[in-house]
Amino acid sequence: MTLAAPETHQNVTRRGQITVSGLRIVVGPPDAERAIVEDVSFAIEPGRTLALIGESGSGKSTIALSLAGYARPGARIAGGTIEVGGERVDLMDGKALRGLRGRRVAYVAQSAAAAFNPSRTIMAQVIEPLLVHRLASRKEAMARARRIFASLSLPDPENIGERYPHQLSGGQLQRLMAAMALITGPELLIFDEPTTALDVTTQVEVLKAFKAAIAESGATAVYVCHDLPVVAQMADEVLVLQNGRTKEAGSLGTVFGTPADPYTRALLAAADHGGLTRLPRPEQECVPLLRIDGLSAGYGKIRDGRPEVPILEDVSLLCGRGEAVGVIGESGSGKSTLAKVVAGLVPLADGEVLLDGTPLPADLGGRSREQFRKVQLVFQHAETALNPVKTVGELLARPLALHHGIRGAAAQKRVAELLDLIQLPAATAARNIRALSGGQKQRVNLARALAAEPELLICDEVTSALDTIVGQAILELIDSLRRDLGIAVMFISHDISTVRTFCDRIMVLYGGRAVESATCAAFARGPHHPYTRLLLESVPQMDPAWLASSAARAAGTGLPLNREICRFEPRCVSAIRGRCNCEAPPLRQSQGHGQNHTWLCHHPVEALGAE
Amino acid sequence: MTLFLSFARSLPLPGRIGLFLVCFWLLAALAGPLLAPYAVGAFVDYDVFSPMSGKFWLGSDYLGRDVLSRLLWGARYTVFLGLGAALLASVTGTSLALVAAVHKGWVDEVVSRTMDTLISIPSKVFALVMVAAFGSSLWLLLLIAAVTYVPGNFRIARAIALDLAAMDYVTFARAQGETPIRIALGEILPNMLHPLLADLGLRFVFIVLLLSGLSFLGLGVQPPHADLGSLVRENISGITEGAPAIIAPALAIATLTVGANLLIHALKKGKTA
């Protein structure tokens, strides 16, 4: 990447040429301002893609938005120059900016579900930029939109525009938002974490569509992302940021291949999941703590062991003392419902949940104080799981008083110990929960569950809302607690690579059924259920050629109407016609290894192939 | 006292003004009858709507009574009756809302439909029937005003409480085996206080208006006593002359309600900062 020194013979500015130099963005009143972006310079050649990477708070989104002349409320572009196609964006007034945005610079946000107006059709919203800027008639605009829908490989491009946002999936909405950005043929596209909220299998399709669309439109792109393997697929150039300052810049190959800055190296190490240090544990005798047998659960009235809206069906799971069990699945697989059933928040319709050999009562009313204490839930979003009016000390003291009757000075002492355990200073106890960062909140969230001295810790996607490095630290913390305190952990995640390195047993859920379950060792050996294989193949790799080589998975979507047959059948590339779509899949067991490895599939072991 | 001063200092300027006005009217309500220069119903001036003078600080009213004395007595009714009824309405409405939000299901249904029934009864007609049945008394007025404004507060409180009851921290508390009372008071209520305080300020203004309306119909505070609202009403004909008899009680209501709202607003800000 050339840094901000335009060569003299190249005075003719080209469409799509982006030049930023000495950018400084500040927050706060003029007399007490604080720079959140300081002295950032870069240039992007037309048609190239620059990725901005770094942790949250590194200023990557702020810089991306400044290219559209936008600063979030409270922030100001205080210095430096921003040129898009030869024009100074930082000098533009409101009217000029309105002409720029949506026409020459377009933005694709993280959450498409929140960015679409739920009460208008997709078409009305996608063609809006063209109509607002009077670039085309309604008819032309709609024709252009349909062409873009087709190029983004959206299903039924002719009619998808007539639908409303709630009728479409997250991955489809994300692509439709890209369609909205592409429709005016902008010279600069800004992608702000566009696939972070998606499942891995969906992410692959969306990334492919984006990459093709960027190449076809010829636009320059800025791609903001904290997921480095994704960056490796999308970017030509990389800019590494920390606390609003440039750490390293260069071409993708150089920065990822031979990182010069220690921070870049730390990021790369965290992205490589092998970085999680986990001692290989000797295969020991399993003392069962939690045993789930033939569990069915869901929402609505329960009749004859079947709820009105069934979510989980016939799920069995074993978790020994001090073991970590991973439950993997994408959104809608029922993994959170499973956590809630064990915690007693969702009544089970059929089957049994045994804790220490005694069945857990189906609803909260029947549980004893001890049972409440033994099972502790850690929620995904610490923001909503911790009451915002309370201080850290109050939050941690409550379970102590409730479960152990510890109050007063003894409780304060214990709170300090807990804070020490999660590596936060003791003074944090007096702070309001709102004053903490995301990672600190998640630690408090964890400490509150530990305060009860549980035997089973259910962690529901505890790291997915966090940055790679912070998430890594939380994972290591949970793992060390499991080892030191002997707490069993049920680890629920959509991230198969984390679960693999972290857990003793693995269960893969799809459409509410356990399609595969195995011990970690057996899982490593394979063979795998076709869905598990798809999951494994969908995890982005650091190899830039990965996206192009990963097979297209545009088989059907959704779950089959017939609840008896394999739930994955509509999406399965190796489904056997006449068998998979007619009969219930048998529960198969791997032979020979003496390992506990089961999966639900018509294919025999040989057909699935061991690694 | 030092505690009070440090509290006052912690408020922003508008909050301090609000606090001053509220304290002023509380003192007036408490000590007013002792300070009043004349008896509340005494006809002391031969002229009506006379302007401010050394003898009658705020002039005289439409019957030649001393406005200052009537104002000091009237403040007592408005402050205590209005504030009391507003508090009673809010506490009752919010308690019912918490019960409905924590238990949901049929409990919520029964309480909500009862409130809908209550809200459909016109407040003035309700007051008329109650006064006709039991005779006018201060306690009855308090009760009428409170009952009239319970459903409104209930609806707002229920909407907020239902939202909060779906939060993860409430789910967590349930999974800990916390009692419903503890969940309602310890987890949900603290997060509702700010909007509820704003609602309380609003209800207080409504109740002052309701009481003056009732007094106009002869159902409210009985003559010769009058609350601030009825002072405005009874002297309405003085408006053409710009008589202090109407301006003074109107200003009194304004300063009291604005003061109360400024204070509440400042409390909200102080808490979130």
Side-chain angles (χ1 to χ4, degrees), chain A residues 343 345 364 369 372 376-377 379 381 384-390 398 402-403 434 448, chain B residues 167-178 182 186-188 190-191 271-273:
Chain A
L345 295 165
L364 288 171
R369 169 92 7 252
F372 279 126
Q376 290 289 322
L377 203 55
F379 285 91
H381 298 288
T384 56
L386 303 171
N387 198 333
V389 297
K390 304 201 172 178
R398 182 58 199 159
L402 184 69
H403 296 296
R434 280 177 297 203
R448 180 175 61 167
Chain B
M167 297 296 280
D168 283 346
Y169 53 81
V170 174
T171 313
F172 180 85
R174 281 174 50 219
Q176 296 297 304
E178 298 269 23
R182 171 96 205 179
E187 305 289 336
I188 300 180
N191 286 292
K271 277 288 261 189
T272 45

Side-chain angles (χ1 to χ4, degrees), chain A residues 429-479:
Chain A
R431 294 181 71 187
N432 189 289
I433 196 68
R434 280 177 297 203
L436 303 186
S437 74
Q440 288 172 329
K441 278 182 195 163
Q442 196 58 279
R443 279 161 194 266
V444 173
N445 196 12
L446 194 60
R448 180 175 61 167
L450 294 173
E453 291 170 26
E455 291 178 5
L456 176 67
L457 197 63
I458 307 173
C459 300
D460 189 359
E461 298 264 17
V462 285
T463 59
S464 42
L466 302 172
D467 287 314
T468 328
I469 291 181
V470 182
Q472 186 91 25
I474 297 274
L475 279 181
E476 273 164 17
L477 183 61
I478 294 175
D479 197 47

Side-chain angles (χ1 to χ4, degrees), chain A residues 340-555:
Chain A
K340 285 187 174 168
V341 172
V342 178
L345 295 165
V346 172
L348 63 108
D350 201 12
E352 260 189 327
V353 179
L354 298 155
L355 186 75
D356 266 342
T358 28
L360 279 175
D363 61 54
L364 288 171
R367 295 201 175 186
S368 70
R369 169 92 7 252
E370 273 298 280
Q371 284 168 332
F372 279 126
R373 178 184 68 78
K374 282 181 182 172
V375 180
Q376 290 289 322
L377 203 55
V378 184
F379 285 91
Q380 172 175 6
H381 298 288
E383 269 78 13
T384 56
L386 303 171
N387 198 333
V389 297
K390 304 201 172 178
T391 64
V392 173
E394 283 168 352
L395 283 167
L396 295 182
R398 182 58 199 159
L400 296 175
L402 184 69
H403 296 296
H404 303 287
I406 304 173
R407 287 189 174 76
Q412 275 178 21
K413 190 163 160 278
R414 185 82 186 102
V415 167
E417 283 168 22
L418 283 165
L419 286 171
D420 189 48
L421 195 67
I422 55 166
Q423 293 145 27
L424 285 180
T428 319
R431 294 181 71 187
N432 189 289
I433 196 68
R434 280 177 297 203
L436 303 186
S437 74
Q440 288 172 329
K441 278 182 195 163
Q442 196 58 279
R443 279 161 194 266
V444 173
N445 196 12
L446 194 60
R448 180 175 61 167
L450 294 173
E453 291 170 26
E455 291 178 5
L456 176 67
L457 197 63
I458 307 173
C459 300
D460 189 359
E461 298 264 17
V462 285
T463 59
S464 42
L466 302 172
D467 287 314
T468 328
I469 291 181
V470 182
Q472 186 91 25
I474 297 274
L475 279 181
E476 273 164 17
L477 183 61
I478 294 175
D479 197 47
S480 71
L481 291 171
R482 186 190 55 72
R483 258 182 286 125
D484 301 344
L485 307 177
I487 301 171
V489 181
M490 186 164 146
F491 194 81
I492 294 167
S493 177
H494 67 269
D495 182 358
I496 196 164
S497 42
T498 310
V499 171
R500 272 182 100 172
T501 48
F502 184 75
C503 296
D504 303 283
R505 288 163 199 275
I506 293 172
M507 178 166 81
V508 182
L509 277 180
Y510 186 81
R513 279 176 174 266
V515 293
E516 182 170 345
S517 55
T519 59
C520 193
F523 191 86
R525 270 195 292 274
H528 296 301
H529 187 274
Y531 173 64
T532 314
R533 271 213 313 254
L534 173 62
L535 272 183
L536 288 168
E537 285 162 15
S538 302
V539 178
Q541 304 294 315
M542 292 302 277
D543 175 12
W546 170 80
L547 186 64
S549 68
S550 69
R553 294 281 173 176

Side-chain angles (χ1 to χ4, degrees), chain A residues 214-229:
Chain A
I214 294 172
E216 194 184 299
S217 72
T220 310
V222 169
Y223 201 95
V224 175
C225 192
H226 70 261
D227 193 354
L228 300 193

Side-chain angles (χ1 to χ4, degrees), chain A residues 72-373:
Chain A
R72 291 203 185 91
R76 281 176 301 118
I77 300 171
T81 59
I82 304 165
E83 277 182 38
V84 173
E87 281 188 62
R88 287 281 295 275
V89 172
D90 52 311
L91 299 179
M92 286 185 180
D93 61 1
K95 189 159 173 276
L97 283 173
R98 279 197 296 281
L100 176 86
R101 293 174 187 161
R103 189 161 67 91
R104 292 176 53 201
V105 178
Y107 177 71
V108 179
Q110 175 171 358
S111 173
F116 275 103
N117 182 341
S119 56
R120 297 179 67 202
T121 62
I122 292 294
M123 182 59 89
Q125 299 182 62
V126 168
I127 63 173
E128 201 176 352
L130 279 178
L131 302 184
V132 166
H133 294 293
R134 303 217 173 90
L135 296 171
S137 72
R138 183 170 290 272
K139 218 174 145 200
E140 283 165 31
M142 285 166 70
R144 206 192 288 189
R146 291 199 186 94
R147 277 201 303 279
I148 294 177
F149 292 161
S151 74
L152 286 165
S153 46
L154 281 156
D156 193 10
E158 285 304 308
N159 301 313
I160 196 168
E162 309 312 313
R163 303 224 221 157
Y164 285 89
H166 70 269
Q167 297 172 307
L168 298 160
S169 73
Q172 288 167 348
L173 284 175
Q174 204 67 52
R175 275 177 281 170
L176 286 164
M177 197 148 105
M180 197 197 295
L182 287 164
I183 197 156
T184 52
E187 54 192 289
L188 174 62
L189 281 165
I190 301 169
F191 292 91
D192 193 354
E193 305 256 9
T195 61
T196 309
L198 302 176
D199 285 316
V200 276
T201 52
T202 319
Q203 177 171 273
V204 177
E205 291 165 31
V206 174
L207 287 178
K208 282 189 169 193
F210 281 1
K211 190 151 191 181
I214 294 172
E216 194 184 299
S217 72
T220 310
V222 169
Y223 201 95
V224 175
C225 192
H226 70 261
D227 193 354
L228 300 193
V230 170
V231 169
Q233 309 311 314
M234 303 302 290
D236 304 309
E237 324 264 341
V238 178
L239 186 73
V240 185
L241 293 156
Q242 189 185 24
N243 300 327
R245 287 172 178 277
T246 308
K247 280 278 145 187
E248 192 168 355
S251 74
L252 181 75
T254 320
V255 176
F256 279 19
T258 51
D261 192 86
Y263 179 68
T264 316
R265 268 182 245 134
L267 277 179
L268 287 165
D272 182 16
H273 283 284
L276 184 70
T277 46
R278 190 177 200 277
L279 306 171
R281 216 149 348 120
E283 302 255 338
Q284 52 194 346
E285 197 61 31
C286 166
V287 186
L289 174 69
L290 176 77
R291 181 177 213 110
I292 300 175
D293 264 328
L295 173 129
S296 294
Y299 298 89
K301 276 212 176 70
I302 298 166
R303 279 198 202 89
D304 312 324
R306 265 181 75 85
E308 228 169 288
V309 186
I311 305 287
L312 291 168
E313 276 177 272
D314 195 20
V315 172
S316 300
L317 179 75
L318 179 74
C319 179
R321 275 180 192 283
E323 275 190 346
V325 173
V327 178
I328 312 165
E330 51 196 52
S331 45
S333 64
K335 56 191 192 303
S336 290
T337 306
L338 183 63
K340 285 187 174 168
V341 172
V342 178
L345 295 165
V346 172
L348 63 108
D350 201 12
E352 260 189 327
V353 179
L354 298 155
L355 186 75
D356 266 342
T358 28
L360 279 175
D363 61 54
L364 288 171
R367 295 201 175 186
S368 70
R369 169 92 7 252
E370 273 298 280
Q371 284 168 332
F372 279 126
R373 178 184 68 78

